[in-house]
Each structure stands twice: as structure tokens, then as C-alpha cells.
Amino acid sequence: MTTAPHAGSATPADPALLSDESPALNRMLAIVNRLAAAEFTGRRTGTPGGHAAAAWLAQQLRQAGATVTLDPFPVRGSIRELHATPHLRYTDTTRTHALIHRRDFCEHLATTDLPQPVTGPITRPEDDPRGAWILLDDGYDLTLAQAAAKHGALGLLVSRGTDADGWMPKMIAGPATGPLPVLAVHTDWHHRMRASRGQITASAPLRTVDAEAVNVYATFATVGRSGPKVLLTAHYDGVGDDPEQRFPAAADNASGVAAVIETARQLIADHTAFTLTVALLDAEEAGAHGSAHHAPQVPEDTIVINLDGAAALHEAAAVEAAGPAHALLAALDRAGRDTGVPLRGQAMPSDNRRYAAAGLAAVGIGMGMPGYQTPAETPDRVQPATLLAATRLLTATVKHHVAGHESSQR
């Protein structure tokens, strides 16, 4: 197992600096560290590690005073599983280069399963494709792939960049499987291959699997039942470990889970009159299946606040509102002003969209994901100040919404 960089635990709170917020922060950091631990193997949907994470989170919510329900559901035909480490060796005019998986190349999600390496020359689309790997300049094209497969091509090579840390982020859901193996090659290597051609030996051991996902729902006792209904959500699943590489998934979305649980703790402690539920969702990385499964079950007068990433707040928190969310957005705006958290309208393609599509007032909030879906997404990169900012913002938003609802009922 390769050791990831930045592999330390999240930094504990400094009581001298944080005083009253130290217990809350330490609880959140403990959740981040535990969810990112090796025992949960990256928390991919349907894996033993994913199921163990759900059971552990249910225990945490019960300890916080909630009534907890586990809701299993199937996910069919949308999860890609890497069942071995891909290999790519490139021979140019002088030597053979062993490229590094997720640094120099990675599997493309449209690839067909290629468990064992195959060897062939590099060609271009205009050349004879028989027994060759075709180097594409304009990205993956299904029509071209079908034609190349018909004429005996071995596979396709497309270009891809890396993040700031030099990683190619991992994904597990995407386009339908095509007729040929497909590998994404770092832009620099792609340029070299285009200039000197040469030969490729490569494998792409990626298959599509079905899975049994599990959502975790928590209902908290509140003072009075005539108040508004509030649902806090965050997905707990990750993309899962590679066969030889850890993916801790600390920012996306252990950080969001930790902040949502702490927000619920603080809201219940205030004894505000409203109904509070929490949904920790599975299969977001596989296409937001957990929220799609849950949304039809939610009462239509519920407001939904989804937190996806609470690890590195820089200039502003990203906010996307949809559905009948005008009152909720106004509450969020006031909360941002009160807590000093700047807000910026921005696309948030997460579970909030499934709730909005079901006709619910929904807002998605994101506060950064350093190391997003790479081995560098470790707990020490989750900023304590951002966890606290997320909890303050969510707590204040709910309080403003409840207060606005009470005013409208007078």
C-alpha cells in the first residue's frame, strides 16, 4: 500500500485560542480523522468499509440524542471498480518508460475492462488502427471508438491534466462503457507520444459493479412540533481506495459530515421549536443516488441544507439555491452577515439538486475540498477554522429560518 503525502491527523483544537468552541471543534476533528482512517477503505458505496462507516455514524448520531434509521437501497450499473492497478509502459526511440498510475496516467471511465496488458504501436486516427493504440487529440469520442474497434484497434489514449499537487483525481461514475480500452495520459506524455510515436503496453482493469448502499437518517427530539421542518444533509461516501493507494476522503466529505452532526448538536441544545432531521447520504460519488432515493420521502414543507465540503474556506462559501428557496436563501444571507462568512453564488452539483428536483426548498453549500478525490485529501488539510465557520453558518441559518417562520405565523 503506497503511503499518501500529508498523512497526518487533523490538528487538534488549541483551547487557549478557541475557548468555548474547543469541545465542538475537537468532536468534529475526531469525526474527520475516524472517517478518513484505513478501516473504512475510502468509504466507497457498497464496500465493507462503506457499510462500516454507516454503522459508525449511526452510533455517533445516537450518542448525540437522535433516533436513527438505516435505509438500504440498491445502486445498479453506475459504479466503476478498479480491480487491479493499471499499468502503462511507453517505449520511444531511446528507452522504455514506466508511467505512474494517477500521476502520469489513469483509467478513463469509458474504458472496457482490460485485465492483462496488451502491446501495440501508437498511431493517429488517420492511420491504420489494426493492432494499435490510437492517440486522440480531442478527447474521447464514442463514434470514433466504435469505428476503431471494428477495424481492430487495441485501445485509445486521451490527454488529461493534473491538480495542483500533481494528481489525477479519481472518479467512479461517468460515461457508459465503450467498446475499447481507454487510458488518460498526462498532457506532457501525450505530447511526447504525438511527437515520437513508439509503442505502448497497457492494462485497464476497470469493471462496472452493482452495490447495496445505505443512507443514515437521524431524527432529533425538539421542543414543540408546530415549527418548521429542517433537514440537514451531507454525503459520507467517498470514491474508495485503489488496490495500492489510499483515498482518505477527509474533505469530501468527512468534513461536511462532521459539521452537520455538530450543527445538529448545537441546535438541539438551544431547544428551538422546530423539527430537525439529518440525512447522511450514500452514493453521492456514484451519481447522487442516496439523495435521489431519499428526496421522495421528505415532507414537502421541509427545507434542505446540504453541506458538501467544509475543509478550506478561502474567499467565500459557494452557494446554490433551487426549488421554493427564497425564504431559506434570505435566512442564509442573514446568517452569512451575522457570522462573517462571505457567500458567493456558484454551481454546487451535489445532493441538494436531487431535493430541489423533488420540489423542496434546497440550498447547497461548499467550503473547499483540498486534495479533492486524490491520496492527498488527508485530515491534516481540513482547516479547523473552516469547520467552525461551517457550523456557525448552518446553525445561524436554521435559527433565522425558524425565527422567520414564527414571525409569519403571528
Side-chain angles (χ1 to χ4, degrees):
M1 184 73 71
T2 304
T3 302
H6 310 294
S9 299
T11 305
D14 181 350
L17 295 177
L18 300 168
S19 59
D20 291 344
E21 292 185 302
S22 292
L25 180 54
N26 286 330
R27 284 192 295 266
M28 288 190 283
L29 293 175
I31 291 173
V32 171
N33 285 324
R34 185 65 183 274
L35 287 178
E39 66 182 292
F40 296 140
T41 63
R43 309 191 305 277
R44 202 206 77 198
T45 300
T47 62
H51 289 160
W56 183 79
L57 286 168
Q59 180 184 22
Q60 302 310 299
L61 289 163
R62 291 188 185 102
Q63 291 175 356
T67 300
V68 179
T69 302
L70 298 179
D71 183 13
F73 61 95
V75 178
R76 300 288 180 256
S78 62
I79 299 174
R80 307 297 200 279
E81 178 182 75
L82 201 62
H83 56 94
T85 301
H87 290 86
L88 196 162
R89 293 189 300 277
Y90 167 51
T91 302
D92 58 18
T93 56
T94 60
R95 59 184 287 248
T96 297
H97 310 268
L99 274 61
I100 300 171
H101 183 230
R102 300 219 184 280
R103 291 290 197 179
D104 301 322
F105 80 102
C106 69
E107 67 283 355
H108 190 285
L109 292 177
T111 187
T112 192
D113 190 14
L114 181 65
Q116 299 300 321
V118 297
T119 301
I122 298 172
T123 67
R124 302 300 298 276
E126 62 270 18
D127 298 330
D128 184 354
R130 287 175 294 180
W133 288 88
I134 302 176
L135 193 70
L136 303 180
D137 290 337
D138 299 323
Y140 178 74
D141 180 274
L142 177 59
T143 301
L144 189 153
Q146 291 170 334
K150 182 178 179 180
H151 290 91
L154 292 181
L156 305 175
L157 303 169
V158 300
S159 178
R160 184 175 176 183
T162 60
D163 68 5
D165 296 315
W167 292 100
M168 293 181 176
K170 178 181 178 180
M171 294 175 285
I172 60 171
T177 299
L180 283 173
V182 188
L183 292 171
V185 181
H186 190 286
T187 304
D188 292 346
W189 285 107
H190 193 273
H191 288 163
R192 292 180 65 171
M193 293 173 186
R194 186 170 56 190
S196 60
R197 302 294 180 94
Q199 180 176 275
I200 286 289
T201 300
S203 65
L206 189 75
R207 60 193 173 198
T208 301
V209 298
D210 296 334
E212 295 301 316
V214 182
N215 283 346
V216 183
Y217 307 141
T219 302
F220 289 84
T222 55
V223 178
R225 293 287 174 176
S226 60
K229 300 179 180 68
V230 176
L231 171 64
L232 303 178
T233 66
H235 77 89
Y236 70 87
D237 63 303
V239 294
D241 290 350
D242 278 354
E244 299 180 77
Q245 189 74 267
R246 285 240 50 231
F247 282 74
D252 181 23
N253 187 33
S255 63
V257 169
V260 161
I261 292 175
E262 185 58 33
T263 298
R265 280 180 175 272
Q266 295 185 16
L267 288 169
I268 294 306
D270 285 344
H271 302 293
T272 306
F274 71 107
T275 300
L276 176 64
T277 55
V278 167
L280 303 181
L281 302 164
D282 202 355
E284 193 270 351
E285 303 293 358
H289 292 276
S291 49
H293 172 74
H294 183 224
Q297 308 173 38
V298 179
E300 63 180 9
D301 56 346
T302 302
I303 66 144
V304 183
I305 303 174
N306 180 69
L307 182 61
D308 197 354
L313 177 63
H314 296 300
E315 295 180 357
V319 173
E320 178 181 299
H326 299 292
L328 173 57
L329 196 56
L332 176 61
D333 181 66
R334 288 191 64 186
R337 296 172 188 275
D338 288 351
T339 60
V341 177
L343 308 176
R344 176 177 59 207
Q346 184 175 322
M348 279 293 299
S350 186
D351 289 306
N352 45 286
R353 293 187 175 180
R354 296 290 196 176
Y355 292 104
L360 298 165
V363 63
I365 301 171
M367 294 190 178
M369 299 176 181
Y372 174 69
Q373 293 184 182
T374 75
E377 193 187 334
T378 47
D380 61 305
R381 301 187 74 179
V382 176
Q383 299 173 357
T386 300
L387 287 173
L388 288 172
T391 304
R392 294 187 201 113
L393 181 67
L394 266 59
T395 302
T397 299
V398 173
K399 289 181 177 180
H400 280 304
H401 178 76
V402 172
H405 180 272
E406 291 175 346
S407 296
S408 68
Q409 299 301 307
R410 293 187 186 126

Short mmCIF file of all heavy atoms in Angstrom, two decimals, residues 118-122 131-133 154 198-202:
data_model
loop_
_atom_site.label_atom_id
_atom_site.label_comp_id
_atom_site.label_asym_id
_atom_site.label_seq_id
_atom_site.Cartn_x
_atom_site.Cartn_y
_atom_site.Cartn_z
N VAL A 118 -1.73 -5.36 -22.95
CA VAL A 118 -1.56 -5.67 -24.37
C VAL A 118 -0.62 -4.64 -24.98
O VAL A 118 -0.55 -3.49 -24.53
CB VAL A 118 -2.90 -5.70 -25.13
CG1 VAL A 118 -3.80 -6.79 -24.60
CG2 VAL A 118 -3.60 -4.35 -25.06
N THR A 119 0.12 -5.06 -26.01
CA THR A 119 1.16 -4.23 -26.60
C THR A 119 0.86 -3.92 -28.05
O THR A 119 0.41 -4.81 -28.80
CB THR A 119 2.53 -4.93 -26.50
OG1 THR A 119 2.82 -5.20 -25.13
CG2 THR A 119 3.63 -4.08 -27.11
N GLY A 120 1.12 -2.67 -28.44
CA GLY A 120 0.95 -2.28 -29.83
C GLY A 120 1.56 -0.93 -30.09
O GLY A 120 1.86 -0.17 -29.15
N PRO A 121 1.75 -0.58 -31.34
CA PRO A 121 2.30 0.73 -31.68
C PRO A 121 1.29 1.85 -31.46
O PRO A 121 0.09 1.61 -31.40
CB PRO A 121 2.63 0.58 -33.17
CG PRO A 121 1.64 -0.42 -33.66
CD PRO A 121 1.46 -1.39 -32.53
N ILE A 122 1.80 3.08 -31.34
CA ILE A 122 0.94 4.26 -31.24
C ILE A 122 0.67 4.78 -32.65
O ILE A 122 1.60 4.96 -33.44
CB ILE A 122 1.63 5.36 -30.41
CG1 ILE A 122 1.88 4.87 -28.98
CG2 ILE A 122 0.79 6.63 -30.39
CD1 ILE A 122 2.73 5.81 -28.16
N GLY A 131 -4.36 -3.49 -34.47
CA GLY A 131 -3.34 -3.86 -33.50
C GLY A 131 -2.61 -2.69 -32.87
O GLY A 131 -1.50 -2.87 -32.36
N ALA A 132 -3.20 -1.50 -32.87
CA ALA A 132 -2.52 -0.29 -32.40
C ALA A 132 -3.33 0.44 -31.33
O ALA A 132 -4.54 0.27 -31.20
CB ALA A 132 -2.26 0.66 -33.57
N TRP A 133 -2.60 1.25 -30.55
CA TRP A 133 -3.21 2.21 -29.64
C TRP A 133 -3.32 3.54 -30.36
O TRP A 133 -2.33 4.06 -30.87
CB TRP A 133 -2.35 2.38 -28.38
CG TRP A 133 -2.40 1.21 -27.46
CD1 TRP A 133 -1.60 0.10 -27.48
CD2 TRP A 133 -3.29 1.04 -26.35
NE1 TRP A 133 -1.94 -0.76 -26.48
CE2 TRP A 133 -2.98 -0.21 -25.75
CE3 TRP A 133 -4.32 1.80 -25.80
CZ2 TRP A 133 -3.65 -0.70 -24.63
CZ3 TRP A 133 -4.98 1.32 -24.70
CH2 TRP A 133 -4.66 0.08 -24.13
N LEU A 154 -6.41 -1.68 -30.63
CA LEU A 154 -6.24 -2.21 -29.28
C LEU A 154 -6.89 -1.31 -28.23
O LEU A 154 -7.43 -1.80 -27.23
CB LEU A 154 -4.75 -2.35 -28.95
CG LEU A 154 -3.97 -3.40 -29.71
CD1 LEU A 154 -2.52 -3.41 -29.22
CD2 LEU A 154 -4.59 -4.78 -29.52
N GLY A 198 6.11 5.55 -31.18
CA GLY A 198 6.64 4.50 -30.33
C GLY A 198 5.60 3.42 -30.07
O GLY A 198 4.70 3.17 -30.89
N GLN A 199 5.71 2.78 -28.89
CA GLN A 199 4.90 1.60 -28.59
C GLN A 199 4.36 1.69 -27.16
O GLN A 199 5.00 2.23 -26.27
CB GLN A 199 5.76 0.35 -28.74
CG GLN A 199 5.05 -0.96 -28.45
CD GLN A 199 5.94 -2.14 -28.71
OE1 GLN A 199 6.03 -2.62 -29.85
NE2 GLN A 199 6.62 -2.63 -27.68
N ILE A 200 3.17 1.12 -26.96
CA ILE A 200 2.51 1.12 -25.66
C ILE A 200 2.23 -0.32 -25.24
O ILE A 200 1.77 -1.15 -26.04
CB ILE A 200 1.17 1.88 -25.73
CG1 ILE A 200 1.41 3.39 -25.80
CG2 ILE A 200 0.29 1.56 -24.52
CD1 ILE A 200 1.93 4.00 -24.53
N THR A 201 2.48 -0.60 -23.95
CA THR A 201 1.99 -1.82 -23.29
C THR A 201 1.15 -1.36 -22.10
O THR A 201 1.66 -0.66 -21.21
CB THR A 201 3.14 -2.70 -22.81
OG1 THR A 201 3.94 -3.09 -23.93
CG2 THR A 201 2.61 -3.95 -22.11
N ALA A 202 -0.12 -1.72 -22.09
CA ALA A 202 -1.00 -1.14 -21.07
C ALA A 202 -2.13 -2.09 -20.69
O ALA A 202 -2.54 -2.96 -21.47
CB ALA A 202 -1.59 0.18 -21.57
#
